[in-house]
């Protein structure tokens, strides 16, 4: 880690926006950074949305509980759809391409009709204001329609990433007590069909709160019948049948500004994922504002954010932000390397994408596949690039700049979290000279600071990244767990939001993100708790104890290494065929959580190094897993090895 920090500190290259970009940018005057009255500033953004009733108070702050635009009433789907009908009714809102190459386009008018119909369907299934609806879908237009339909009737959605296991889905449905589950027969991934309905059944069968399961038929060709699907009478219904009868007339439910818009589960430092709660008025205001200024959205842009709707990026920057801004959003269902490794570049060329927002892990994969692939495509429609999810290494930044941006497009490296709801630290592309690897400056109106352990500000240097004043799209809590909300984010320094990230600030005031400081691992831009993986491993009948650490990985940034102590009854078997045993454990974790949590490495050990107070020495484990502390890790099976390593380590540090 310290080598990486040193490398970042030596990064002095700077890329100012071109005069042309600056001239045309939505934010092109440095004065946007002078926010004297934060509440008035955010209110001026909120005024750009449609409110059925205006708020009487901008902010009520009883730390750590915030209420924004108090007394106001609005509807998120009306802001994403209805308000555009007069001026943008025939403009494409959504252009979608499935992995097999099927394309569907929805104008704002068409999307409005589909959302209104499905909102009526949800009502007919008994969904009411404040109810929760689980969505477990591939990246198809119906997933977006389902989210907006929930918003239209004031129900909260809980989207569960389609790559999560049945068990993960079950836990999330049970925690939120969702009434309806929306899923699809299957989704395409690298030419295969992922049998989502089958996985959804395994979850829903264990969820007494679920009254109905709505199933979207996903098939590229009518003859691809899916024999993995069985429909349970009375509970399951086909989306297309319900939609046939539904009326396209559905008055939006005007909800309170603080009405819950959604909950989205994310990992923390304990074994149980937490349901982050976002509400309507403040969230939509900031998602909209950041789209306007960070992505510089213009009327004729074709905007593509590659995130899945299962993550917060898919909520704020595929659905709510860009649609509230009236943009044309492109969505692609499948894998970047299907049928070939140039799929993304051919999509950019074909759909004339002008704004492209993706993750460093994807960029590193593209680098590996070679610049010849993007080079062979016409990418001249691009004008702005974005990065999100994890720190971007300067090398990947430069490759992105050169081979995708063709040295013309500004890159916005955007730092934020599921909890923050919207982008918090980012360049404004017409104003800020970027430096490869730095997320640069706080968005106007956001108070980001580096603090030391005691809560003192570090002006230049490293420490913890904190947000010191409330912001409109901040999380309002953890679903039904106020204690965890308070202890996790607000206990380190009272009234100040603790991000869980380490960061440093340079002499120009730029932020450089250095990764998590807690027991959370960022694997390929996705957050996994070490405890979650450890619980999944210990759940296997051969494992007595497990400890998980993050190790450097060329593509994923960080990958998971798991140290396991095998029960003596199974030790012989583990020794006999280690490869088979390791695969069995990896498969077990995939089945328990999902493929994203699959460990890269399993290291069988007879002992785990612990401090005198019983804490696992993760830094030593990382050194071992990355081959620094010990050349040949197989000798961990020798009972004396871990003990002597620990002694040596304790002496040195
Ligand atoms: C964690 C949040 C924000 C949507 C995707 C992930 C890391 C995110 C950056 C960035 C460095 C970043 C942080 C953060 N992170 N963006 N631009 N540079 N690190 O959302 O799953 O809630 O994860 O992702 O560690 O805490 P998430």
């Amino acid at each position: 880690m310290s080598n990486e920090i040193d490398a970042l500190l030596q990064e002095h290259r700077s890329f100012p926006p071109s005069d042309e970009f600056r001239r045309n940018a939505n934010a092109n005057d440095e004065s946007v950074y002078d926010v004297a009255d934060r509440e008035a500033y955010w209110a001026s953004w909120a005024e750009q949305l449609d409110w059925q009733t205006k708020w009487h108070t901008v902010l009520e702050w009883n730390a750590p509980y915030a209420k924004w635009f108090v007394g106001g009433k609005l509807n998120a789907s009306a802001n994403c759809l209805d308000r555009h009908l007069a001026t943008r009714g025939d403009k494409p809102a959504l252009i979608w391409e499935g992995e097999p190459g099927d394309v569907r386009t929805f104008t704002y008018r068409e999307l409005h009709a589909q959302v209104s119909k499905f909102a009526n369907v949800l009502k007919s299934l008994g969904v009411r204001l404040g109810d929760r609806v689980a969505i477990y879908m591939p990246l198809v237009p119906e997933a977006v329609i389902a989210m907006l339909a929930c918003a239209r009737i004031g129900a909260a959605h809980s989207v569960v990433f389609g790559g999560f296991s049945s068990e993960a889905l079950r836990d999330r449905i049970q925690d939120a007590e969702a009434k309806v589950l929306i899923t699809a027969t299957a989704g395409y991934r690298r030419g295969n069909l992922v049998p989502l309905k089958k996985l959804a059944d395994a979850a829903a069968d264990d969820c007494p709160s679920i009254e109905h399961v709505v199933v979207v038929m996903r098939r590229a060709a009518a003859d691809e019948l899916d024999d993995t699907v069985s429909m349970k009478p009375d509970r399951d219904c086909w989306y297309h049948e319900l939609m046939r009868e539904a009326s396209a007339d559905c008055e939006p439910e005007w909800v309170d500004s603080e009405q819950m818009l959604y909950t989205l589960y994310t990992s923390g430092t304990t074994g149980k994922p937490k349901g982050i709660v976002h509400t309507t008025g403040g969230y939509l205001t900031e998602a909209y504002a950041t789209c306007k200024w960070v992505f510089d959205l213009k009327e004729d842009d074709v905007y593509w954010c590659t995130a899945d709707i299962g993550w917060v990026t898919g909520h704020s920057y595929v659905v709510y932000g860009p649609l509230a801004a009236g943009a044309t959003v492109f969505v692609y269902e499948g894998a970047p390397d299907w049928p070939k490794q140039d799929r993304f570049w051919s999509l950019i060329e074909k759909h004339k994408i002008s704004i492209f927002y993706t993750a460093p892990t994807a960029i590193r994969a593209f680098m590996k596949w070679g610049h010849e692939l993007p080079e062979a495509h016409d990418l001249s429609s691009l004008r702005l690039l974005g990065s999100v999810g994890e720190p971007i290494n300067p090398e990947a930044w430069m490759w992105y700049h050169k081979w995708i941006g063709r040295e013309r497009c500004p890159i916005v490296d955007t730092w934020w979290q599921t909890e923050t709801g919207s982008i918090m630290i980012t360049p404004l592309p017409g104003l800020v000279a970027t430096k490869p690897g730095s997320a640069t400056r706080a968005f106007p109106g956001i108070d980001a600071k580096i603090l030391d352990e005691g809560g003192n500000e570090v002006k230049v240097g490293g420490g913890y990244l904190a947000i010191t004043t409330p912001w409109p799209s901040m999380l309002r809590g953890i679903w039904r767990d106020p204690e965890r909300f308070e202890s996790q984010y607000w206990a380190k320094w009272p009234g100040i939001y603790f991000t869980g990230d380490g960061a440093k600030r340079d002499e120009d005031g730029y932020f450089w993100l250095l990764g998590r400081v807690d027991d959370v691992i960022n694997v390929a831009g996705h957050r996994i708790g070490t405890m979650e993986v450890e619980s999944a491993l210990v759940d296997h009948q051969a494992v007595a104890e497990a400890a998980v650490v993050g190790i450097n990985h060329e593509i994923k940034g960080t990958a998971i290494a798991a140290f396991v102590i095998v029960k003596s009854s199974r030790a012989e078997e583990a020794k006999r065929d280690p490869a088979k045993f390791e695969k069995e454990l990896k498969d077990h974790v995939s089945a328990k959580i999902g493929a994203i949590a699959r460990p890269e490495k399993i290291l069988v050990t007879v002992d785990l190094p612990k401090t005198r107070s019983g804490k696992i020495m993760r830094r030593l484990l990382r050194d071992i897993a990355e081959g620094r502390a010990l050349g040949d890790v197989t000798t961990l099976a020798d009972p004396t090895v871990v003990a002597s390593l620990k002694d040596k380590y304790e002496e040195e540090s």
Side-chain angles (χ1 to χ4, degrees):
M1 190 65 165
S2 71
N3 286 345
E4 282 164 46
I5 298 172
D6 289 347
L8 284 179
L9 295 185
Q10 281 153 27
E11 183 55 65
H12 293 305
R13 286 171 289 198
S14 169
F15 297 84
S18 68
D19 286 344
E20 194 204 342
F21 198 100
R22 177 187 300 258
R23 225 177 7 255
N24 298 319
N26 289 344
N28 62 4
D29 191 316
E30 180 64 27
S31 66
V32 299
Y33 281 104
D34 306 331
V35 177
D37 180 344
R38 206 168 355 95
E39 291 181 24
Y41 163 83
W42 285 119
S44 75
W45 278 112
E47 274 156 14
Q48 296 179 40
L49 299 178
D50 274 2
W51 295 77
Q52 192 250 7
T53 307
K54 201 177 165 172
W55 58 89
H56 52 73
T57 307
V58 175
L59 170 67
E60 261 177 42
W61 177 230
N62 295 307
Y65 295 95
K67 287 186 180 165
W68 282 88
F69 310 115
V70 189
K73 281 186 185 292
L74 77 169
N75 181 282
S77 94
N79 272 286
C80 290
L81 302 167
D82 306 45
R83 78 184 183 120
H84 303 309
L85 293 182
T87 51
R88 302 184 175 111
D90 297 321
K91 173 178 175 170
L94 197 62
I95 302 173
W96 173 86
E97 182 161 327
E99 197 186 68
D102 38 342
V103 175
R104 293 161 71 194
T105 299
F106 297 81
T107 62
Y108 270 95
R109 202 180 319 286
E110 287 164 342
L111 192 61
H112 173 262
Q114 295 298 310
V115 168
S116 300
K117 279 185 168 198
F118 196 58
N120 281 325
V121 166
L122 289 174
K123 280 198 218 169
S124 74
L125 296 176
V127 181
R128 299 283 174 265
L129 177 72
D131 285 344
R132 276 82 53 212
V133 172
I135 298 178
Y136 184 62
M137 303 243 316
L139 198 40
V140 292
E142 288 80 3
V144 176
I145 293 167
M147 289 166 76
L148 291 169
C150 289
R152 196 164 190 85
I153 62 172
H157 50 73
S158 168
V159 182
V160 180
F161 173 55
F164 275 129
S165 66
S166 300
E167 272 190 48
L169 174 62
R170 181 200 61 198
D171 293 348
R172 286 158 175 75
I173 293 175
Q174 286 180 351
D175 189 66
E177 292 182 296
K179 216 171 180 176
V180 167
L181 167 64
I182 305 163
T183 187
T185 51
Y188 284 88
R189 194 75 192 170
R190 291 204 178 82
N192 296 317
L193 282 167
V194 182
L196 283 175
K197 171 65 163 79
K198 200 172 145 199
L199 295 166
D201 281 339
D205 290 348
D206 269 348
C207 296
S209 65
I210 293 289
E211 293 170 11
H212 292 286
V213 178
V214 181
V215 187
V216 173
M217 186 153 341
R218 169 72 183 110
R219 48 179 202 216
D223 57 353
E224 277 182 56
L225 273 177
D226 207 330
D227 57 11
T228 60
V229 176
S230 70
M231 299 289 276
K232 193 167 168 180
D234 301 329
R235 187 194 70 180
D236 297 355
C237 12
W238 287 108
Y239 178 92
H240 60 274
E241 287 178 4
L242 296 168
M243 287 292 269
R244 212 160 29 219
E245 269 128 57
S247 151
D249 193 4
C250 178
E251 176 70 8
E253 178 89 32
W254 301 108
V255 300
D256 192 273
S257 177
E258 283 299 330
Q259 177 68 37
M260 174 157 81
L261 180 61
Y262 65 81
T263 174
L264 181 61
Y265 286 81
T266 188
S267 298
T269 49
T270 73
K272 199 173 145 259
K274 42 194 179 182
I276 301 300
V277 171
H278 282 293
T279 59
T280 308
Y283 173 81
L284 201 64
T285 297
E286 206 173 325
Y288 165 81
T290 47
C291 273
K292 287 298 255 194
W293 277 3
V294 178
F295 297 119
D296 191 47
L297 277 175
K298 301 278 167 45
E299 205 53 58
D300 51 1
D301 274 315
V302 183
Y303 163 92
W304 181 18
C305 163
T306 65
D308 191 275
I309 45 130
W311 311 111
V312 73
T313 312
H315 286 60
S316 304
Y317 298 108
V318 175
V319 182
Y320 291 108
L323 293 178
T328 293
V329 177
F330 174 74
V331 173
Y332 166 61
E333 174 188 31
D337 54 351
W338 187 265
K340 286 191 301 192
Q341 289 170 337
D342 69 345
R343 182 65 181 271
F344 274 21
W345 320 128
S346 80
L347 288 170
I348 289 174
E349 181 171 356
K350 176 173 168 188
H351 296 282
K352 303 208 164 28
I353 306 296
S354 58
I355 302 171
F356 179 65
Y357 187 35
T358 195
T361 182
I363 298 167
R364 289 189 295 264
F366 301 144
M367 286 172 76
K368 201 169 170 191
W369 299 339
H371 63 77
E372 295 78 9
L373 298 176
E375 221 179 350
H377 288 274
D378 176 6
L379 304 185
S380 60
S381 57
L382 288 174
R383 67 178 195 90
L384 178 63
L385 303 176
S387 170
V388 64
E390 48 177 322
I392 180 165
N393 43 311
E395 195 195 352
W397 196 103
M398 289 305 297
W399 189 91
Y400 198 28
H401 171 69
K402 179 160 186 200
W403 297 107
I404 308 306
R406 308 268 161 100
E407 300 180 346
R408 287 184 298 109
C409 305
I411 296 178
V412 288
D413 172 8
T414 62
W415 178 91
W416 58 295
Q417 308 178 300
T418 305
E419 291 88 341
T420 69
S422 308
I423 292 169
M424 304 289 277
I425 301 180
T426 176
L428 293 182
L431 284 172
V432 177
T434 51
K435 300 183 193 180
S438 170
T440 75
R441 299 170 68 174
F443 188 80
I446 298 297
D447 286 317
K449 289 197 170 74
I450 307 282
L451 301 183
D452 66 14
E453 197 66 43
N456 308 301
E457 183 173 3
V458 179
K459 291 270 187 205
V460 178
Y464 300 107
L465 179 65
I467 314 295
T468 57
T469 57
W471 64 101
S473 65
M474 66 194 280
L475 77 167
R476 297 303 195 264
I478 294 176
W479 177 252
R480 288 189 180 154
D481 201 346
E483 270 159 44
R484 195 171 172 196
F485 170 65
E486 288 170 22
S487 66
Q488 200 105 86
Y489 305 107
W490 306 95
K492 199 170 181 73
W493 315 288
I496 291 178
Y497 175 79
F498 171 61
T499 63
D501 275 340
K504 71 164 289 282
R505 250 180 135 170
D506 68 16
E507 299 71 25
D508 297 328
Y510 279 34
F511 289 93
W512 300 79
L513 276 302
L514 302 173
R516 304 287 308 192
V517 295
D518 52 10
D519 290 335
V520 169
I521 308 181
N522 191 325
V523 182
H526 298 309
R527 206 201 286 196
I528 309 283
T530 50
M531 275 268 271
E532 269 175 273
V533 183
E534 285 162 6
S535 321
L537 284 164
V538 173
D539 176 80
H540 188 281
Q541 80 259 34
V543 177
E545 211 179 328
V548 159
V549 294
I551 52 170
N552 282 322
H553 187 276
E554 189 195 350
I555 305 289
K556 296 177 182 172
T558 313
I560 294 172
F563 289 79
V564 296
I565 299 180
V566 181
K567 284 183 188 157
S568 50
S569 55
R570 300 286 299 268
E572 267 314 303
E573 173 196 340
K575 234 180 261 167
R576 214 177 318 123
D577 193 345
K580 178 165 168 257
F581 183 71
E582 283 166 25
K583 180 171 181 302
E584 190 179 320
L585 294 193
K586 290 179 183 177
D587 288 347
H588 188 73
V589 176
S590 298
K592 291 290 284 185
I593 306 174
I596 49 167
R598 189 183 181 86
E600 191 75 24
K601 263 191 194 176
I602 301 273
L603 299 104
V604 174
T605 178
V606 290
D607 193 11
L608 285 169
K610 289 185 188 146
T611 60
R612 245 164 246 118
S613 61
K615 269 193 83 170
I616 290 173
M617 299 167 71
R618 290 184 197 274
R619 203 154 56 89
L620 171 58
L621 291 182
R622 212 172 295 129
D623 285 346
I624 297 172
E626 291 182 342
R628 277 187 300 277
L630 181 71
D632 180 6
V633 289
T634 54
T635 51
L636 287 177
D638 174 349
T640 58
V641 168
V642 176
S644 72
L645 272 172
K646 175 176 172 282
D647 291 345
K648 198 166 140 260
Y649 209 77
E650 276 176 336
E651 258 165 47
E652 281 170 12
S653 50

